[in-house]
Amino acid sequence: PRSSPRPPPPLHPSPASRLPLCRPPRPAAAASPRPRPRRRPHRCRGVQRAVRPSRLQPCPPFSRQPRLPFSRQPRLRRRRRPRRRSDERHGGDRKAADDERHRSERREAGVESREAGGLGARQEDEEGAAGAQHAAALSLGRFPAASCKSFAFDAAAPGGWEAQLKAQGCFEGGWKVFLLIARTNEADELVDALQAAHPDAAIIGGMATGDVLYRLRHGAASVVDEGAVGMMFSGNVPLAAFVSRGARVVGEGPYTFGEADLDADPDAPEEQQILTHLTDPRGERQGALTTVLEVVRGCSQGQPTMGVAERPGEGYELTFLSNEMVVAQRGAIRLAPRRGDAPGWEGGAVQFYAFDPQSCKQDLATRLAAMKAETERKGERLLGAVMFTCNGRTHNFFGEAAFDATTFSKTFPATPLIGMYAGGEIGPPLLADAPPSRAFQVGGAGMHGFTAVFGMFIVPGRQPRAAPLAFADGDAIAAAYAELRAQMPPPPPAPPASSADATAGHLPTSIAELRSLPVRALRQAMDRLGIAFTPGMEKEEIIQEIATRLPAGAEE
C-alpha cells in the first residue's frame, strides 16, 4: 500500500543480491503511484551527488560502493593554483629566448673566446648592474723597459684622496700611463689632479657599476667600497689611447666666430667664456643661442652635440648641449674651457653633430680600420688592448650583442682584448672629423658619456731575417768564422756598469739613477745596506726603501 514506507536498500549488500544498477520493475498502473522524476547526478566542487538512496539498487562488484547522500558528504575544497602575472606568462619566455639568441650571436662572433679578450663567458647579460652575473677578466703582459705600480684610495679611510695618493707616489714625476677604475663622486677632481701633475700622461678608465673594488697586492686582496683603484706605468710603455662615439653632421656648418664674438661669463670664473654670435657659411652673423635652437629643432633623430675647433679640419672637441650652457639674458652659450696651455678661445669654428646607432657603428669601424692601416704602414703590431665602453652601448642600442668587442675582434683577429662596461668613461679628448694624425691623444683626459675608450699596446714589428743554409766541414766553418771576425770593427768601449757600481760599493746619488738600475742590482744594494726584502715588493717600492738611506741632499 502507499502508506507503507519503503525500506532503504542496504549500503553493503550481500553477495547474493549484487545485481546491476537498474530501475526496479514498475508495478501495475492502477496500484503504482506517480513516480518522482529522477535527479541526474552532477559534479559540485569535485563531489558527485548521488541519486536518492530509495531509488538505488545494489551495485555490481566492479563499481564503487554507494555514496552517502550529498547532505552528509564532507565538503571538499579544491586547491586554487596561484595566478601568474602577465609578464611571467608572456615576458619570461620571450626574455629567455632573447638571451639565448644574444649568447649564440656572441659565440658565433668569437666574443666569448680567448681571442676576443676580457668579456668573459659568464657575463651573459650586457646590462651591467641590471642582472649580469659576476665575471672576472685577466690579461697578462710583460714590458721589460717599464715599471708599474698599483694604487688605491678609500673614501672611508682617514685623510682625503689627495693625501692617500700622494703617499703612494702618484704625483711624483715619471709616470706616463694611468689605468683608473673609480667608484666615487670625486672622479672628476681625481682625473684633473692626475692630469695636472702629469700633463703628458695618458689616462684611461671608467666608472665601476659593481658594488665593490678589489686590489691585489703582495698576495693579499683589499676591498674598497667607495674610492678608486688603478695602475700606473713609467718607462717605455707602448700605450696609445683613442675615444669613439660617432657623430653625424647636422645643420649648415661649419660656423665661425672671432674674438669680437666672445665675452666673459659674469656668473663663472674668469677662464669661462661665452659665445654671443656665430657666422654661417653664407657670411650672415646671428646670435649663438638662436643658431643652437634652430639646429636642435631641425635635429629629428639623435641627441645633438656641439663641436668647437681652433681651425676647421683639425678635429672638433664635442660637448653635449644642455640647459647649463644657456645664458638667456645675453642670448649666448657657454664654451667649454680650451684644452692646453692657452688661457681661452680667441676664435675658431663650430660644427653641430648628432649621434645615433648607425653613426656610432661607422665611427668605430672607421677608426679601427684606419689604425690597422697605420700600424701596417709603419711596420708595427698590436700586442693587446684595454676597452672601457658605456653600459648603454648594448644590443638594445645597436641591435646586436657586444658590438664594440665584436668589431675589434673582426679588425684584429687573435688579438687579446680585456674590458668592462662602465657608467662613465675616462679618456683623452673626444674629437669629431679628426685627421689620422690626431687619432691618438695624450693629455687632456676627462669624463665622457656613451663612448668607447680603447688603450692600444702597439710595439715595433719584428721582421725575420733570411738565413740561407750552407753545408761545410768543421775546418771550413772555423776558417769562415775567423775571416768574419777579422772583418768586424773592434767593439766599442764598455759603458759604465751602474749595476756593478751598486754591488761593488758605490751607491747612486739620485732617485733617477736608482730607477735606471735593474731589479737584481737593486736587490743586491738592499742586501749591502741591510734592508730586508719583502716578497712581492715592486720596483718602485724598492727604490723608495733605498732612497731613505741616500745621503742628505740627494736630488730627485
Side-chain angles (χ1 to χ4, degrees), residues 388-406:
F388 297 91
T389 183
C390 179
N391 54 10
R393 297 169 65 98
T394 61
H395 63 273
N396 294 330
F397 180 75
F398 288 116
E400 54 184 294
F403 174 79
D404 297 327
T406 304

Side-chain angles (χ1 to χ4, degrees), residues 293-520:
L293 294 178
E294 291 178 355
V295 171
V296 172
R297 293 191 190 100
C299 184
S300 59
Q301 184 179 6
Q303 184 174 358
T305 59
M306 184 179 69
V308 184
E310 186 176 0
R311 284 180 294 272
E314 293 187 356
Y316 294 87
E317 297 183 11
L318 298 182
T319 305
F320 276 110
L321 294 176
S322 62
N323 294 331
E324 299 176 355
M325 300 176 59
V326 177
V327 184
Q329 297 82 359
R330 303 286 302 275
I333 56 175
R334 292 185 176 92
L335 289 178
R338 186 178 179 184
R339 300 181 185 272
D341 299 334
W345 296 95
E346 299 178 356
V350 174
Q351 182 67 275
F352 295 96
Y353 299 89
F355 75 93
D356 50 22
Q358 188 61 32
S359 62
C360 291
K361 289 182 178 181
Q362 183 178 0
D363 182 79
L364 180 60
T366 302
R367 288 177 181 268
L368 291 176
M371 191 191 68
K372 182 178 182 180
E374 187 69 12
T375 53
E376 292 177 352
R377 184 184 67 83
K378 294 182 178 180
E380 299 174 336
R381 61 191 180 99
L382 181 63
L383 294 180
V386 182
M387 179 187 69
F388 297 91
T389 183
C390 179
N391 54 10
R393 297 169 65 98
T394 61
H395 63 273
N396 294 330
F397 180 75
F398 288 116
E400 54 184 294
F403 174 79
D404 297 327
T406 304
T407 305
F408 179 89
S409 62
K410 291 180 180 178
T411 309
F412 298 96
T415 301
L417 172 67
I418 187 172
M420 57 173 276
Y421 286 99
E425 303 78 58
I426 304 172
L430 178 60
L431 299 180
D433 294 339
S437 60
R438 301 194 65 185
F440 298 107
Q441 298 291 319
V442 175
M447 298 293 299
H448 301 292
F450 221 89
T451 59
V453 179
F454 285 86
M456 305 289 194
F457 293 94
I458 303 175
V459 297
R462 296 180 178 178
Q463 298 294 338
R465 293 181 299 177
L469 296 178
F471 299 92
D473 54 5
D475 297 337
I477 293 176
Y481 178 75
E483 182 181 359
L484 181 63
R485 287 298 302 267
Q487 297 175 0
M488 293 178 60
S498 56
S499 60
D501 295 340
T503 57
H506 171 71
L507 286 176
T509 58
S510 65
I511 298 179
E513 190 174 356
L514 281 174
R515 286 177 177 162
S516 65
L517 298 178
V519 177
R520 180 179 299 179

Side-chain angles (χ1 to χ4, degrees), residues 87-106:
D87 57 349
E88 294 179 357
R89 289 197 301 268
H90 306 290
D93 298 338
R94 190 180 302 115
K95 183 178 185 302
D98 292 343
D99 293 343
E100 181 62 28
R101 178 171 58 84
H102 296 322
R103 285 194 293 269
S104 62
E105 290 178 358
R106 297 171 76 175

